[in-house]
Amino acid sequence: MPTAGDDDGAERLAAHAAGNKRAWQATLDDVDELAAGRATDGWEVVTVVAGQTAPRPRETGGTDRYGLVHVVSKSDADSFATAYERGEYPRYDVYRATTDTRLFLVTECLDPGSRTAILVAGSVRRDDARALARTAARTGRMYTHVRTLDGTHLGSFEHATPEKFFPVTDRGSQSSGEDCR
């Protein structure tokens, strides 16, 4: 038999879910707005929306390939791979929003030479991302990796200002970035 406390927990859970759903929709709306703005300015824009994003701290598997790993669909993979191979992407910016439990990100990598922009949208649990935030703060670098569900690595970007990715409270300790790739 449910108690009043159980009802409060269920209501909190429902409120978190509703808040996360609104934040994800706002993130997707931001991607569309950023893409439209770049396209209006004459940029070719490739947008990829991760079906799953996982934070991978340096300690995972003893590798230096830490960062956010975005898993994308086959249709997004093809357009991403084509754009990635065409450019250098020396500029980037990160747009983020948070709820109590999740971090929502849009990473925008720009290649002024080819006037190509790649926008990568993803979301991670804040608790899961904290170890990565500490690794990035310690090393002064952050990486964005894009892959398919079968594990095919499509490309990676290196970022020199990792603080752009994480709220201060998640880093344990703050712009436009350069040196994206």
Side-chain angles (χ1 to χ4, degrees), residues 15-69:
H16 280 297
N20 288 338
K21 185 176 180 178
R22 282 191 303 274
W24 181 241
Q25 186 57 57
T27 300
L28 297 177
D29 292 345
D30 289 346
V31 167
D32 290 343
E33 186 176 321
L34 287 165
R38 289 285 178 200
T40 297
D41 291 341
W43 290 71
E44 179 183 340
V45 181
V46 174
T47 300
V48 294
V49 177
Q52 178 181 353
T53 299
R56 183 178 189 172
R58 177 174 264 173
E59 296 78 26
T60 303
T63 179
D64 284 340
R65 293 185 67 90
Y66 61 92
L68 291 172
V69 179

Side-chain angles (χ1 to χ4, degrees), residues 16-173:
H16 280 297
N20 288 338
K21 185 176 180 178
R22 282 191 303 274
W24 181 241
Q25 186 57 57
T27 300
L28 297 177
D29 292 345
D30 289 346
V31 167
D32 290 343
E33 186 176 321
L34 287 165
R38 289 285 178 200
T40 297
D41 291 341
W43 290 71
E44 179 183 340
V45 181
V46 174
T47 300
V48 294
V49 177
Q52 178 181 353
T53 299
R56 183 178 189 172
R58 177 174 264 173
E59 296 78 26
T60 303
T63 179
D64 284 340
R65 293 185 67 90
Y66 61 92
L68 291 172
V69 179
H70 299 278
V71 179
V72 300
S73 69
K74 176 69 172 141
S75 60
D76 281 350
D78 293 341
S79 59
F80 173 86
T82 299
Y84 181 81
E85 291 303 318
R86 186 175 48 236
E88 293 294 319
Y89 303 95
R91 293 181 34 213
Y92 72 97
D93 213 336
V94 179
Y95 306 89
R96 71 170 190 249
T98 59
T99 63
D100 289 344
T101 59
R102 296 200 70 83
L103 172 63
F104 300 88
L105 297 161
V106 178
T107 306
E108 178 186 47
C109 290
L110 303 169
D111 179 46
S114 67
R115 295 194 55 80
T116 303
I118 297 177
L119 303 172
V120 182
S123 170
V124 297
R125 283 178 17 102
R126 288 177 69 181
D127 286 346
D128 293 343
R130 284 190 172 99
L132 174 58
R134 289 188 300 273
T135 295
R138 188 172 58 252
T139 64
R141 292 276 181 234
M142 176 64 185
Y143 298 88
T144 296
H145 307 287
V146 178
R147 69 175 192 94
T148 59
L149 186 58
D150 69 4
T152 302
H153 180 258
L154 300 172
S156 296
F157 301 97
E158 180 179 346
H159 311 287
T161 50
E163 61 273 7
K164 297 180 78 168
F165 287 84
F166 305 102
V168 172
T169 56
D170 292 357
R171 286 183 251 144
S173 23

